[in-house]
Amino acid sequence: MWACRQRGKKGLNTGIPTTNGILFGPTQSRKTYLSMYAHRGPLRKGNPNKNRWLSTFPPPAEYGLFCDADDSDWRDEKGNYWGIHDGGRTIIGCRDAVIAKFPHRQNPTDPWHGYPVPEDDANRDRWPSITFIEGWIKAGIVSRTIGRRLQRTPT
Amino acid sequence: MKVSSVFVPGSFEDAWIYMGHLVVLTQDLSIQFYPLEQIASAIETSYGEHNPVVRLMFLRNDWLSGETMAYIARNAVIQAEIIHAFDKFPQPFAVLDTDLRPIAEYGLHVSASVFLDFFLYGGRCYFATDAGIFHLDVDWHVVPSLTRGSPEKRSDATCYTISAKYGALMASCGSDGLYGYIDEFGSSSDFNLANGRRLAEKSMKIAWADTSFINYTSNATMDVLRATLSSVSPAGRRPESEKKVMTRIEQDDIDLTGIVTRDIARRGFELDEVQFAFNSNSNLFLRVYSGEVFVFTIERVNNMLTLRRSRQMFAMPSRILSMHFGANWSVLETTDSVLLFADRDLTTIVERGVLSVRTYPRSRRYRSLVSIVHEEGVQVAGVFDESAITVNP
């Protein structure tokens, strides 16, 4: 289900462990992706990092989501990519997160990375804009019901 | 509790029941008005004119809960007939014949791309959009008509939710803040402060608690604002027959967030584990991510709002999106259902996510109604508390 559809160097589609995470890629547009260890593991009390993928959404799924965002050009005006799985019906991150952000890289040679964004962590840098989500609704990526819910999340 | 529903098919975004009409915002950014009387007549024609449910449920809630009905229903035969009529009403809803057209429809020519909230108050339609707040004055006589051609823009900031009471409009605009429009209709001769004033730096939503309201600045952090009210002047306009209007608003000193933090800590929860919080006039409800729902009783001490210790209500596996209050029941909107909470029981009204849910607790005739907008149309559900006629006074 989450197998990456891109063909690259041997090992890069199943992921190569590095010190910071598991490296995937390249995608069709020649991007590499790092599933970072910092956004994995259980959410513990007192741990400020809320942006963690669920264990049910493993690194290959995370990379698959990035491939979808890259292939579909789900990119905002600031160069960030945004991902959503199963039309927003499946939770991918802690605190019921259904959306992922893949922030714009400062250095083009760095691999991309990403993390889930829960609605209660939404702010103007950490949530897709209303017009961006409207694009998802119009393209049928999310239903109108889920899209409006995402648009009504205050930032 | 019994729930009877009517379904009006269409591509709607939001709906209100107001001044004898079902008022809907369409997906094409127009506003439509359906007279409830015509909806009731069409349903009676399709499903049997002699069923009293339609009129009692969708036109005259005040008859159903009034003393006259309780007296008449002391007759066991009449009581049984009324309950039987509710039992045989089509479930999950009676569908309105699609040939019924709205009595009026107007295009909303606004610069916004998305309507985020919709509120009717003082005969006026308010729209919260990504391009700010707009309002539209409607003349409600016979066929609703617009007193101006297009909505009037009130602000530029993206507005997420709107609420109005005591002649004042409160607009929650996320990190742009909370804006208050006091004495919106010039009801008090002493004040005319209809220009928006920033009351708080952040606002996700607000909810009234009598003459105060709670401004939610995140899922779990909240401030209390207290209103000063004045009587409506003899010449003043009385929105929703308000006897008093807000003339001043100030921050209350009470640290409600601190009270909540200490209370849930004794249950082993931290504030950032709160997924949802909202309040009625008398209770504050809170859900944590693990599913437990708690309720705090709201009290007033020296005219300041405070909370008593919480008690656990029930477990809710799905994320709560909104909560709405009726006469002696409430409605919970979750990501995958709409539920009625009454008599300590949860009853499913809709088994999937919806676009909007509204209740009308301040209405005389529609206080038992819930309007629920689906992608395929609007469901108007009537909640009937049979104990009103089965329990002898």
Side-chain angles (χ1 to χ4, degrees):
Chain A
M1 179 182 177
W2 291 313
C4 298
R5 289 154 285 165
Q6 313 309 318
R7 300 212 174 273
K9 291 176 187 172
K10 190 175 177 185
L12 283 182
N13 288 331
T14 50
I16 295 175
T18 71
T19 51
N20 290 327
I22 301 173
L23 188 66
F24 291 93
T27 66
Q28 233 167 22
S29 63
R30 313 301 301 164
K31 294 182 181 76
T32 54
Y33 183 83
L34 187 67
S35 168
M36 295 177 70
Y37 301 136
H39 293 297
R40 293 239 161 234
L43 185 66
R44 292 178 295 277
K45 285 189 178 178
N47 186 334
N49 189 353
K50 300 170 190 170
N51 306 97
R52 287 169 180 265
W53 301 95
L54 286 188
S55 59
T56 51
F57 202 75
E62 181 187 332
Y63 174 53
L65 194 62
F66 178 70
C67 290
D68 286 344
D70 185 37
D71 292 351
S72 312
D73 201 23
W74 293 342
R75 186 174 44 167
D76 65 21
E77 66 280 4
K78 292 177 186 163
N80 306 306
Y81 283 88
W82 298 91
I84 193 157
H85 178 64
D86 186 27
R89 290 178 290 270
T90 301
I91 293 170
I92 57 173
C94 291
R95 304 160 75 83
D96 298 347
V98 297
I99 280 184
K101 181 180 179 181
F102 304 103
H104 174 65
R105 297 170 308 168
Q106 296 302 320
N107 183 349
T109 60
D110 287 347
W112 285 78
H113 79 283
Y115 45 82
V117 188
E119 286 176 34
D120 67 0
D121 197 34
N123 63 42
R124 289 194 181 158
D125 285 330
R126 281 182 179 248
W127 201 249
S129 68
I130 286 170
T131 44
F132 185 92
I133 297 168
E134 191 65 17
W136 272 350
I137 297 171
K138 290 204 165 110
I141 306 302
V142 296
S143 67
R144 196 153 54 96
T145 300
I146 289 177
R148 292 283 180 263
R149 169 158 67 84
L150 300 174
Q151 288 175 317
R152 287 171 180 153
T153 301
T155 60
Chain B
M1 293 284 174
K2 295 188 183 296
V3 179
S4 307
S5 297
V6 168
F7 192 80
V8 182
S11 290
F12 307 136
E13 291 282 340
D14 210 335
W16 263 82
I17 290 165
Y18 193 76
M19 297 262 194
H21 293 82
L22 173 66
V23 186
V24 294
L25 266 180
T26 71
Q27 204 181 346
D28 301 329
L29 303 187
S30 70
I31 188 166
Q32 295 180 339
F33 300 83
Y34 291 85
L36 285 172
E37 179 69 46
Q38 285 187 13
I39 292 176
S41 297
I43 293 292
E44 282 175 336
T45 304
S46 302
Y47 291 92
E49 286 182 23
H50 302 298
N51 192 324
V53 172
V54 176
R55 238 142 247 285
L56 291 172
M57 214 58 277
F58 305 109
L59 294 177
R60 296 304 299 256
N61 291 176
D62 49 335
W63 288 355
L64 198 53
S65 56
E67 286 178 17
T68 311
M69 179 62 79
Y71 179 76
I72 293 170
R74 287 170 70 176
N75 180 311
V77 176
I78 295 173
Q79 184 187 107
E81 278 300 315
I82 293 170
I83 291 172
H84 178 63
F86 276 93
D87 287 340
K88 73 177 187 185
F89 197 76
Q91 293 291 339
F93 38 64
V95 180
L96 183 71
D97 189 325
T98 48
D99 288 343
L100 186 74
R101 304 296 308 152
I103 193 169
E105 177 172 11
Y106 305 99
L108 296 170
H109 306 291
V110 293
S111 53
S113 55
V114 179
F115 286 86
L116 299 168
D117 197 16
F118 178 37
F119 203 95
L120 274 78
Y121 183 71
R124 191 173 268 183
C125 302
Y126 292 94
F127 308 99
T129 77
D130 58 327
I133 303 164
F134 295 82
H135 84 239
L136 190 62
D137 281 318
V138 177
D139 180 349
W140 294 89
H141 289 104
V142 192
V143 177
S145 59
L146 310 184
T147 56
R148 284 171 59 115
S150 58
E152 191 173 325
K153 189 163 190 177
R154 301 289 296 271
S155 69
D156 293 323
T158 298
C159 179
Y160 295 93
T161 61
I162 300 174
S163 179
K165 198 176 178 185
Y166 300 125
L169 177 74
M170 296 295 147
S172 295
C173 303
S175 54
D176 280 323
L178 172 68
Y179 288 83
Y181 298 79
I182 295 170
D183 199 11
E184 179 74 355
F185 301 95
S187 309
S188 165
S189 56
D190 300 331
F191 296 90
N192 189 2
L193 305 170
N195 290 328
R197 204 180 104 205
R198 197 176 190 219
L199 301 172
E201 288 184 0
K202 203 170 179 193
S203 181
M204 321 291 271
K205 62 192 173 189
I206 70 127
W208 296 87
D210 196 10
T211 56
S212 297
F213 62 84
I214 298 177
N215 176 37
Y216 294 86
T217 51
S218 76
N219 276 13
T221 53
M222 55 200 91
D223 296 319
V224 180
L225 288 100
R226 183 173 37 179
T228 302
L229 306 179
S230 294
S231 297
V232 174
S233 68
R237 187 171 157 192
R238 290 173 178 263
E240 262 66 355
S241 302
E242 303 275 23
K243 292 188 175 65
K244 295 191 168 183
V245 293
M246 183 190 297
T247 51
R248 184 183 156 98
I249 190 150
E250 59 196 329
Q251 188 101 21
D252 223 325
D253 290 333
I254 189 81
D255 177 16
L256 225 54
T257 306
I259 296 172
V260 170
T261 305
R262 289 187 291 278
D263 184 281
I264 61 172
R266 71 185 169 85
R267 297 177 181 277
F269 294 106
E270 292 181 1
L271 207 58
D272 70 357
E273 289 175 84
V274 174
Q275 178 264 311
F276 174 84
F278 202 58
N279 65 281
S280 65
N281 267 335
S282 52
N283 292 298
L284 187 141
F285 302 87
L286 187 144
R287 177 184 179 267
V288 290
Y289 277 101
S290 50
E292 294 92 334
V293 176
F294 304 107
V295 60
F296 297 78
T297 302
I298 296 177
E299 281 188 331
R300 284 194 171 271
V301 179
N302 299 328
N303 202 29
M304 289 220 327
L305 193 145
T306 188
L307 303 175
R308 290 175 67 178
R309 285 182 86 178
S310 71
R311 56 187 192 279
Q312 187 167 347
M313 289 175 75
F314 48 79
M316 173 61 59
S318 300
R319 182 186 181 86
I320 298 178
L321 300 177
S322 67
M323 201 161 181
H324 309 265
F325 305 101
N328 54 351
W329 42 266
S330 49
V331 176
L332 282 82
E333 179 196 4
T334 77
T335 48
D336 48 21
S337 63
V338 179
L339 304 158
L340 174 71
F341 181 64
D343 300 333
R344 299 184 179 187
D345 269 334
L346 286 165
T347 308
T348 303
I349 304 177
V350 179
E351 286 183 329
R352 59 181 179 151
V354 297
L355 285 160
S356 92
V357 179
R358 303 202 177 278
T359 53
Y360 308 91
R362 298 183 75 202
S363 166
R364 188 165 64 97
R365 294 187 175 184
Y366 315 122
R367 67 177 51 163
S368 299
L369 294 186
V370 186
S371 56
I372 304 163
V373 180
H374 306 229
E375 292 194 23
E376 296 80 15
V378 56
Q379 177 178 352
V380 181
V383 180
F384 170 47
D385 179 3
E386 66 263 49
S387 70
I389 62 168
T390 54
V391 176
N392 289 328

